[in-house]
Amino acid sequence: MTHAPRSPDQAQRRVLLGISGGIAAYKACELARLLVKAGHQVQVAMSEAATRFVGPITLQALSGREVALDSWHPLRASGMDHIDLVREADALVIAPASADLIARAAAGMADDLLATLLLARDAVPTLLAPAMNRAMWAHPAVQRNAEQLRRDGLRLAGPGSGAQACGEVGDGRMLEPEQLMWEIEALWQPRLLHGRRVLLTAGPTFEPWDEVRGLTNRSSGKMGWALARAAWEAGAEVVLVAGPTALAPPHGVRTVAVETALQMREAVQAELAGATFDVFIAAAAVADWRPEPQPGKIKKQPDGVAAPPTLLLNPDILAEVAARADAPFCVGFAAEAEQLVAHAQAKRERKGVPLLVGNLGPQTFGREHSSCVLVDAQGVRELPRMDKLDLARRLCAEIASRLPARA
Ligand code: CTP
C-alpha cells in the first residue's frame, strides 16, 4: 500500500491521535509520520503508560506539535484539553488501544485524558486499534467491552493476527500503520455501499506460451485496487479476483490471486456460485487471446525465425456474467487507443452492461491519475482527470446511485 501526496482537492484533516500503554505504541510513531506525510494535521495525546513505551518528544517531533499528556498540564489556555482537543478534530484515533483503555471506555470512565476525550467526543468519527496479547483479546471481558464500544458507534480496526511481542502467536497485534491509514481515511467516506457485496476483477492476465514465456499487458492493477479500496471504504464486502501485479493485497478485501484468463473466469464463477453479489466490476485487462501452451522451453531455430504461437480466443468474463439470469449490476471498463466514446458505447451494448467506464489506455496504464467517460443508457458523461482513488470513490458513488433498493 502506498500513499501518494494528496491532490489539492483533498481536504487537510485534523487527526487527534491518542496513544495508550502497550508495546505497539512504537508503531504509533510511524502512524503519526504517515498522517503528516499524507497532509493531515496531527495532535498527539498520550496516556501516562504510553510514555513508558515511547517518549513524548518523539511524537512532538513527528507531529510538529506539543503532546497532550494529562488534564492537569493542559495545552490550551482554557484549561480544558479534554473538550477543546476533540472539538478541533476531524477524527479521534486511539492506537494502540490497550485492554485497560477499552475497559474504561466501555464503562464510560473519565479517569485520564484519553478516556475523557472518548467520552467528550460527541459526533467526531472515532477509531480504536486494539493491541494486546492474544489470550487477553480472546477474554470474554475484553470481547464484551469491544462489542459495547461498537454498539456505541466506535469503529474498531483489527486487531490483526500473527507473532506477538510476548512470543505467542494469535489475534491481538495492532494493525500496521499503512492499514490504519486506510481505516482512518475510511472514517470520512460516506458508507454508500453498506451491506452490499462487490466482486471485482483487476490487473492483467498472464497467458503462458511455454514454461518460461507468456503473453501479458501493461495493466498495473492500480485502478482495480483503488476501486476495491473505495468499495470497502463505502462499507461493501469486497472480493478481488486479481491477476499478477506488483501490488500488495488491499486491506479489508478478500483477494483471490489468479494468473490466466481461464483461472480468472473460474474464480469469478466460483464466487458467484457461492454467494449473491450486488455489483460486478470488471477492471481487469484480460488478455483477449492465449497461446496454445507448449511444453518446456521453445528453442531458437537456426534460421533465426521464430514460429508464431497459435492463439486461442479467451472467454469474455464480463459478457458471461452480464448474461446470467441472476447478474449483479455489471460495470465494464474500456481501454481504447482512439475514438473513445464510439468504441465505449459499442462495447457497452455488445457486452450488455448497464455502465461502462471508458478511458484512453496509454494515458492511464501505470499512472496515478486517470480521466474517463461514463457511458450508460442515458448517454455519455465525462469525468475530469483525477487521482485514481478519487476517481474510484466517484465511481462507487455512481454505482451506488444506480443500484436497486434492497428488498
Ligand atoms: N473483459 C473480460 N473478459 C475478457 C475481455 C475483457 O471480462 N476476455 C472485460 C474487461 O475487464 C473490461 C471490458 O471487458 O471491463 C472491456 O475490455 P477490453 O479489453 O477493452 O474489451 P475487449 O472486449 O477485449 O474489446 P477489444 O479488445 O476488441 O477492444
Side-chain angles (χ1 to χ4, degrees):
M1 283 181 275
T2 54
H3 296 282
R6 300 172 73 72
S7 57
D9 58 325
Q10 287 174 307
Q12 187 184 54
R13 315 270 190 166
R14 296 159 305 177
V15 178
L16 177 53
L17 174 60
I19 306 175
S20 68
I23 183 59
Y26 82 91
K27 290 199 220 170
C29 302
E30 177 66 3
L31 178 59
R33 192 186 71 80
L34 289 179
L35 284 164
V36 170
K37 192 173 157 210
H40 301 303
Q41 285 178 23
V42 180
Q43 171 65 60
V44 177
M46 296 173 76
S47 70
E48 202 276 325
T51 65
R52 310 281 178 127
F53 291 91
V54 286
I57 197 76
T58 305
L59 274 308
Q60 179 173 344
L62 290 168
S63 66
R65 280 182 180 72
E66 198 178 337
V67 173
L69 291 171
D70 68 62
S71 301
W72 309 118
H73 302 89
L75 301 181
R76 299 289 181 268
S78 65
M80 285 188 272
D81 278 7
H82 64 293
I83 306 292
D84 292 347
L85 296 184
V86 81
R87 290 289 169 277
E88 291 162 10
D90 297 309
L92 170 57
V93 177
I94 310 283
S98 64
D100 177 66
L101 181 79
I102 288 172
R104 287 185 291 118
M109 291 177 68
D111 55 346
D112 75 355
L113 179 60
L114 294 196
T116 316
L117 288 169
L118 281 165
L119 265 191
R121 72 186 184 92
D122 207 357
V124 174
T126 300
L127 179 86
L128 267 71
M132 64 200 74
N133 166 268
R134 52 145 200 106
M136 292 168 72
W137 174 249
H139 195 285
V142 176
Q143 288 301 311
R144 227 174 17 244
N145 292 332
E147 187 48 36
Q148 182 61 54
L149 293 179
R150 286 189 200 100
R151 277 209 294 271
D152 292 345
L154 278 72
R155 184 175 171 121
L156 268 70
S161 198
Q164 302 203 301
C166 52
E168 296 182 6
V169 178
D171 286 351
R173 281 171 63 95
M174 188 170 84
L175 290 188
E176 296 304 319
E178 295 271 358
Q179 297 173 318
L180 288 175
M181 286 296 291
W182 283 37
E183 294 275 351
I184 294 167
E185 302 261 352
L187 289 173
W188 301 308
Q189 299 307 318
R191 297 182 58 82
L192 299 172
L193 292 172
H194 179 69
R196 305 286 193 172
R197 294 173 57 92
V198 175
L199 179 61
L200 268 144
T201 64
T205 62
F206 178 88
E207 312 293 335
W209 178 11
D210 63 14
E211 284 171 26
V212 292
R213 306 184 182 90
L215 277 189
T216 188
N217 58 64
R218 298 169 78 92
S219 166
S220 65
K222 282 181 185 165
M223 191 63 223
W225 254 242
L227 278 161
R229 175 175 176 179
W232 166 79
E233 281 179 339
E237 192 183 326
V238 183
V239 180
L240 172 67
V241 178
T245 72
L247 305 171
H251 170 64
V253 167
R254 184 158 65 80
T255 303
V256 181
V258 297
E259 195 166 79
T260 66
L262 291 180
Q263 290 167 358
M264 186 173 274
R265 174 218 226 172
E266 199 178 305
V268 165
Q269 300 289 352
E271 291 299 330
L272 291 172
T276 305
F277 284 87
D278 300 279
V279 181
F280 175 62
I281 307 176
V286 184
D288 291 319
W289 301 279
R290 62 182 185 280
E292 196 149 38
Q294 304 296 311
K297 184 182 172 203
I298 300 165
K299 288 291 174 198
K300 281 197 289 291
Q301 298 304 313
D303 61 4
V305 180
T310 306
L311 294 177
L312 308 169
L313 197 61
N314 270 329
D316 190 320
I317 302 169
L318 173 60
E320 281 183 0
V321 175
R324 290 170 67 108
D326 63 346
F329 182 85
C330 288
V331 184
F333 275 75
E336 304 295 343
E338 22 103 78
Q339 292 187 46
L340 176 57
V341 170
H343 283 313
Q345 278 174 320
K347 205 165 273 184
R348 187 186 87 82
E349 286 183 21
R350 183 156 38 88
K351 304 217 177 204
V353 297
L355 181 63
L356 194 113
V357 185
N359 52 30
L360 289 169
Q363 290 177 17
T364 186
F365 280 4
R367 310 240 174 133
E368 296 298 337
H369 291 73
S370 186
S371 56
C372 66
V373 291
L374 294 186
V375 184
D376 65 8
Q378 274 67 52
V380 180
R381 196 146 51 88
E382 200 169 328
L383 294 185
R385 188 170 179 76
M386 57 180 114
D387 174 77
K388 281 187 176 170
L389 181 58
D390 289 332
L391 181 58
R393 287 172 176 159
R394 188 78 182 264
L395 289 175
C396 282
E398 295 282 347
I399 292 167
S401 72
R402 288 167 166 82
L403 290 185
R406 259 165 306 170

